[in-house]
């Protein structure tokens, strides 16, 4: 009786597929909460919400792979969450912080960033099953990813908070609007950027890397705005390096000799006529 019960498949969704989707939904909620903090003028909490959404976004994919709960539904939910948490929320936060002081036109730049983020993720979903992806095959990303784009967009707020709100010139819409346009272009562009998931550390620098990560974590706690500002500027400085690295990879691929065509199979010899099973006997008295 027990064997018959085990043979019948259980209905419902397995838990390993629910957990990563719950983390994705949590990232969506945290990103939207950043808008609430921005409306109340709590800029530190608004930025913290976007950073927390980025951490959760980096966790859901790894949790799905660890639990073997990757589904197409999860991929679609992740893209929708990224549009809101890293597209709509940062755009609204930046508008309430600075762009609203430019009547009518300031909102256009916030819209441009949000639309570009939506177009980027739509392009990602359209090519998710494509086999020909030169950037991905070489270990690069196409354009600035969604969490990094949100982090770059909020760079003026990082610097403003790092100065203890003394650098009021950072809130000038004549500075913030072009910056938003630049980040929107990087998000939707085809520029090759480094993929952190494809980086491989050498064994002899493993301990040093752990020390650096621990120091960065400590700096985020003790001096968050300075650390976030330095991280955003460092990532921005690495973009020309990633472009040069991908160009070098393309040159190496073009110079590599093409694989020779498979050798043709040898032609089979013509079939010989089958011999008679019985030999003709010689007539009697033959020599």
């Amino acid at each position: 009786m027990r064997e018959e019960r085990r043979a019948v498949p259980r209905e419902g969704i397995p838990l390993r597929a629910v957990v990563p989707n719950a983390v994705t939904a949590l990232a969506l909620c945290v990103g939207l909460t950043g808008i609430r903090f921005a409306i109340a003028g709590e800029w530190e909490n608004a930025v913290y919400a976007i950073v927390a959404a980025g951490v959760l976004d980096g966790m859901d994919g790894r949790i799905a792979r660890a639990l073997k709960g990757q589904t197409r539904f999860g991929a679609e939910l992740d893209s929708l969450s990224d549009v809101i948490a890293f597209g709509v929320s940062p755009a609204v936060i930046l508008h309430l912080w600075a762009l609203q002081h430019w009547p009518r036109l300031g909102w256009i730049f916030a819209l441009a960033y949000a639309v570009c983020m939506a177009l980027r993720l739509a392009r990602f979903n359209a090519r998710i099953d494509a086999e020909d992806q030169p950037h991905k095959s070489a270990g690069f990303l196409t354009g600035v990813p969604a969490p990094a784009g949100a982090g770059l967009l909020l760079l003026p707020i990082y610097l403003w908070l790092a100065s203890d709100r003394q650098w009021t010139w950072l809130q000038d819409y004549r500075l913030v609007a072009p910056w938003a346009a630049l980040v929107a272009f990087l998000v939707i562009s085809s520029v090759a950027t480094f993929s952190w998931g494809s980086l491989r550390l050498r064994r002899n620098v493993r301990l040093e890397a752990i020390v650096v990560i621990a120091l960065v974590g400590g700096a985020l706690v003790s001096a968050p705005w300075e650390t976030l500002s330095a991280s955003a500027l460092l990532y921005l400085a690495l973009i020309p390096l990633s472009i040069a690295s991908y160009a070098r990879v393309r040159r190496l691929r073009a110079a590599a000799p093409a694989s020779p065509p498979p050798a043709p199979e040898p032609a089979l010899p013509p079939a010989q006529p089958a011999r008679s099973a019985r030999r003709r006997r010689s007539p009697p008295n033959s020599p």
Side-chain angles (χ1 to χ4, degrees):
M1 192 67 178
R2 293 180 178 178
E3 294 180 357
E4 293 180 358
R5 291 180 179 178
R6 293 178 181 176
V8 177
R10 296 181 178 180
E11 297 181 357
I13 302 174
L15 183 62
R16 65 174 181 271
V18 175
V19 173
N21 293 335
V23 176
T24 303
L26 182 60
L28 168 62
C29 295
V30 173
L32 278 175
T33 306
I35 298 179
R36 171 186 174 275
F37 287 129
I39 294 174
E42 302 176 11
W43 305 112
E44 295 90 344
N45 293 332
V47 174
Y48 284 144
I50 302 301
V51 174
V55 173
L56 292 172
D57 181 73
M59 291 173 55
D60 59 359
R62 288 168 175 80
I63 293 175
R65 288 189 291 270
L67 298 178
K68 297 181 180 180
Q70 295 171 312
T71 60
R72 188 59 182 261
F73 173 82
E76 296 293 339
L77 179 63
D78 183 72
S79 295
L80 293 174
S81 173
D82 289 352
V83 169
I84 297 176
F86 307 122
V88 176
S89 294
V92 174
I93 292 172
L94 195 71
H95 177 264
L96 294 175
W97 182 69
L99 292 177
Q100 67 173 341
H101 302 298
W102 191 4
R104 293 177 297 178
L105 296 180
W107 178 239
I108 293 178
F109 287 90
L111 283 178
Y113 171 80
V115 170
C116 287
M117 183 63 72
L119 292 177
R120 169 188 172 77
L121 294 168
R123 180 181 63 184
F124 174 80
N125 287 346
R127 301 180 59 186
I128 193 170
D129 296 327
E131 297 181 358
D132 185 17
Q133 298 189 40
H135 288 170
K136 184 177 180 181
S137 62
F140 292 85
L141 298 175
T142 303
V144 174
L152 289 178
L153 185 71
L154 299 179
L155 176 60
I157 303 181
Y158 303 157
L159 296 172
W160 177 67
L161 293 173
S163 67
D164 198 15
R165 307 191 181 194
Q166 299 298 320
W167 294 351
T168 55
W169 54 272
L170 289 169
Q171 291 183 277
D172 191 347
Y173 61 85
R174 290 169 293 186
L175 174 66
V176 177
W179 175 251
L182 174 62
V183 177
F185 168 76
L186 292 176
V187 164
I188 203 176
S189 68
S190 298
V191 172
T193 56
F194 287 120
S195 173
W196 303 110
S198 62
L199 294 180
R200 296 293 182 269
L201 296 176
R202 298 179 181 178
R203 294 183 180 272
N204 56 350
V205 297
R206 181 174 53 185
L207 296 179
E208 291 81 353
I210 295 175
V211 173
V212 171
I213 294 174
L215 292 176
V216 171
L220 280 172
V221 175
S222 59
W225 311 123
E226 291 81 357
T227 305
L228 289 174
S229 301
S231 301
L233 292 173
L234 178 62
Y235 183 86
L236 193 65
L238 288 176
I239 292 179
L241 182 60
S242 64
I243 296 174
S245 299
Y246 179 68
R248 183 170 64 253
V249 171
R250 290 187 60 184
R251 288 195 300 268
L252 293 176
R253 286 184 172 183
S259 57
E265 298 181 359
L268 297 176
Q272 297 180 358
R275 296 182 178 181
S276 176
R278 295 182 180 179
R279 294 183 179 181
R280 184 176 57 85
R281 291 185 179 181
S282 301
N285 301 327
S286 61

